[in-house]
Structures are given as C-alpha cells and as structure tokens.
Amino acid sequence: MVGSSYKTEHYIEIESENNSTDISTGQMTAYHAQHILLAMPPRLVTHSIAFEPALPIDLAKQWQQTPTWMAPHAKYVAVYETPFWREKGLSGSARSGVGPLTEIHDASALYGEGALFGFFGIPTHVRQSVSATGLKAHCRAQLVRLFGEAAAAPTAEYIKDWATDIFTATPADANGDGQHAVAPATMPETGVWQDCLIGSASEWSVAFPGYIAGAIDAATVAVTRLPETIKPR
Ligand SMILES: Cc1cc2nc3c(=O)[nH]c(=O)nc-3n(C[C@H](O)[C@H](O)[C@H](O)COP(=O)(O)OP(=O)(O)OC[C@H]3O[C@@H](n4cnc5c(N)ncnc54)[C@H](O)[C@@H]3O)c2cc1C
C-alpha cells in the first residue's frame, strides 16, 4: 500500500479516478462499481487490497491493527472407526494442560465413524517449528492419555492452521492472542473513498465483532448504507 510501513501481499487492486472506481482481481477480471462492500476483516483488507489513491494513513493503520478473531488458531482432527470413548462412558470433551491441545471435543457424525477434535493451545511459532508428522504424534499421545489406547490408531488425521491460511491470517496475526477485536469505528470520512467503501465482514460489526452473529450484523448494517436504488430486495 502506498505510504504504509507494513509488508502486504496484494491480490486485489481498487482504483478510484474521476468519480469512477475499478476493481481488478488479477485474474483478467475487472469490475466497475460505485459502492464496495468489504466482505473480509479490516486487517486482511489492508493486507490484500491495493488502494489507489492510498487510504488515509491513520485509517489504514487502524484497520491493520484490528485483529481477526481466531486467525492465530489451529485445530487437530482425528477420525476413528467408532466413537470408542463412549463405550467407556467418556464424553470426548476435555480441557488439558499436558500436550499441544488445550480444548478437545467429540466431533463424531450422528452415526458411524467417530472423531475427536482439539484446539491447539500452543502459539503459531511453536506449531510451525514442529513438522506436521511430529505435531500429529504429540496430539495422538495426548488423546491416548485422555481416552485410552484406541486413540493411538485414527483412520485419518488433519491439521487446519488458520495462521497459515492467506485468506484468513496475515503475518501480524501470527503473534496475536486471537481475542475479540473491537470494531474499527471509522470509515473514510473525506476524499474519494468516502461513501464508497463499506465494511461488511464480522470484524466490522460494532455489536459482535469476530462472531458469526457479527457477520450477520455487519452485512445487515452495510446493506442499509447502500442507496435505496441499489439495495437488494
Ligand atoms: C476456528 C474458528 C472457530 C470459530 N468459532 C466460532 C464460534 O464458535 N462462534 C462464532 O460465532 N464464530 C466463530 N468463528 C468465527 C466465524 O467463523 C466468523 O466470524 C465468520 O465466519 C465470519 O464471517 P464473514 O462473512 O465475516 O467472513 P468469512 O466467512 O471469513 O468470509 C471472508 C471470505 O473472504 C475470502 N477472502 C479473503 N481474502 C480474499 C481475497 N484476497 N480474495 C478473495 N477472497 C478472499 C475468504 O476466503 C472467505 O471466504 C470461528 C472462526 C474460526 C476460524
């Protein structure tokens, strides 16, 4: 971004010139628009969209400093032939301070296979310093301690790390604590971007930033800000 001091990876360009706004996605696709709903978190907007002219620097900093909830987090999922822990009267839920997973839940389908998933309780940089194979081995060992030997033989294992997902997290999220963001109070109040940009993803919600309820709230508020003539019916 022109005039900003942090490193960005622009996938989208939005250019405003002579009261005309063009959006280019870099895939030989270009759009022309009067109003743009920003359906991604503020931090991701500043990281992945190049604005020309640049956003006001204070506004860009404020957006960049708004964390995306859950962006630093990761989950481990282990699939089993059956939810064997239930045979022992165990729920599959656990809070654990020994091992990589801090919070574990039964993620089984209603019938058939069983599954356990856990949120990692270790920071991004620690997760990334261990191979996926090593990380899975530590997770399995933890599940064995909690639920018994049968946990050692999952039929499938997955790790989903949002901190490495470029459509969710930026490098700034890697060190975050994943706490709820306070929605940025401001949108451009002067200049070419005034009345053109409208935040509509969860982290723009004043009431419930970061939650699914926030996504609904922000999108609802965003649509009310559109001129009557173009509001969806
Ligand atoms: C692990 C985890 C657990 C969660 N648990 C809960 C919970 O228990 N309760 C709760 O209320 N909420 C929870 N959430 C949060 C909830 O999922 C989000 O608040 C909600 O999905 C946000 O919806 P959204 O429409 O604002 O954004 P998203 O659903 O994130 O949509 C943004 C979209 O923008 C796309 N995108 C990003 N960058 C680009 C780009 N450059 N080009 C094109 N597309 C792009 C993304 O791929 C994505 O599809 C959780 C989130 C995570 C990650």
Side-chain angles (χ1 to χ4, degrees):
M1 184 178 303
V2 180
S4 68
S5 57
Y6 41 86
K7 196 168 175 283
T8 57
E9 298 283 346
H10 295 138
Y11 306 103
I12 303 170
E13 290 172 12
I14 302 181
E15 189 175 349
S16 180
E17 199 175 21
N18 301 327
N19 289 329
S20 161
T21 305
D22 293 306
I23 306 159
S24 165
T25 65
Q27 295 171 339
M28 298 181 69
T29 310
Y31 303 92
H32 180 74
Q34 280 178 297
H35 302 276
I36 298 169
L37 300 183
L38 299 168
M40 59 174 91
R43 178 173 274 172
L44 213 49
V45 167
T46 59
H47 190 73
S48 56
I49 302 179
F51 291 91
E52 183 56 45
L55 293 172
I57 191 76
D58 287 350
L59 191 74
K61 267 191 188 156
Q62 188 194 38
W63 291 6
Q64 202 276 338
Q65 286 167 2
T66 302
T68 304
W69 188 51
M70 298 305 290
H73 289 281
K75 268 182 187 176
Y76 165 81
V77 183
V79 180
Y80 298 95
E81 282 173 8
T82 61
F84 61 86
W85 52 94
R86 294 181 189 170
E87 291 158 19
K88 297 182 185 178
L90 298 175
S91 66
S93 299
R95 296 270 177 172
S96 177
V98 182
L101 304 173
T102 182
E103 182 188 324
I104 296 155
H105 297 277
D106 185 330
S108 307
L110 207 50
Y111 304 104
E113 288 179 321
L116 293 168
F117 91 79
F119 282 106
F120 282 95
I122 50 176
T124 308
H125 71 275
V126 176
R127 295 197 299 270
Q128 289 172 2
S129 70
V130 185
S131 70
T133 311
L135 211 46
K136 286 175 184 172
H138 284 293
C139 293
R140 277 198 309 277
Q142 187 175 6
L143 295 184
V144 167
R145 288 194 294 274
L146 290 166
F147 302 108
E149 267 311 313
T155 54
E157 290 175 291
Y158 308 93
I159 291 175
K160 170 65 186 175
D161 194 329
W162 281 274
T164 60
D165 182 334
I166 58 165
F167 293 132
T168 300
T170 71
D173 292 298
N175 300 318
D177 56 10
Q179 293 306 306
H180 281 280
V182 175
T186 53
M187 297 300 287
E189 288 174 357
T190 56
V192 297
W193 300 117
Q194 185 186 15
D195 298 329
C196 173
L197 302 179
I198 306 172
S200 68
S202 180
E203 276 75 10
W204 299 97
S205 161
V206 174
F208 314 108
Y211 288 108
I212 288 175
I216 296 166
D217 176 54
T220 306
V221 171
V223 169
T224 64
R225 295 187 55 199
L226 292 171
E228 283 301 327
T229 47
I230 58 168
K231 275 184 187 167
R233 295 180 197 286

